[in-house]
Amino acid sequence: GPKGSKIKMLQEKTGVSRIDTTGEVFTIMGPPQAVAMAETAIKELVEKGYCALNYDDFAENYVNVHPSCFPDLIGKNGAVVRKIKEELGVEINFPETQKNA
């Protein structure tokens, strides 16, 4: 994140003493339980782009929606999905779809 904001947040929320991001492998140092929490959060960030530690009150759920309905849920220029996110304070992700499928 900007100026290491995500690393700082992970250190504060997990209690790890250091997260070294130099090179291709991250090194996490601290108490074992804190290291495990930080590792899980880093994996979530890599896989999803967000992690549960970012939120005070976090829950995650999935809804199956046929891709043909995506345009209606997104709305013109993202207006519908943006309004849902703003009003409810949630994040919404749509899976990648193949063009001409």
Side-chain angles (χ1 to χ4, degrees):
K3 298 183 180 178
S5 62
K6 290 197 187 304
I7 298 295
K8 289 176 187 169
M9 181 274 299
L10 290 175
Q11 286 177 291
E12 289 172 9
K13 298 247 180 167
T14 63
V16 296
S17 55
R18 180 168 160 76
I19 300 175
D20 184 355
T21 60
T22 56
E24 293 186 18
V25 176
F26 285 16
T27 303
I28 307 167
M29 293 172 258
Q33 187 174 1
V35 170
M37 281 177 56
E39 180 182 3
T40 298
I42 290 169
K43 286 179 179 176
E44 285 181 345
L45 283 168
V46 169
E47 293 169 9
K48 302 175 183 177
Y50 62 90
C51 70
L53 288 177
N54 251 358
Y55 306 93
D56 293 329
D57 186 20
F58 182 82
E60 186 172 45
N61 206 334
Y62 301 90
V63 177
N64 289 320
V65 176
H66 193 276
S68 66
C69 298
F70 289 0
D72 294 328
L73 291 171
I74 294 169
K76 187 174 184 175
N77 297 320
V80 174
V81 73
R82 195 174 324 116
K83 185 73 170 173
I84 293 169
K85 291 166 103 173
E86 289 170 4
E87 292 287 323
L88 300 176
V90 298
E91 290 297 322
I92 300 173
N93 295 315
F94 290 87
E96 295 290 322
T97 57
Q98 293 180 342
K99 302 288 185 215
N100 303 325

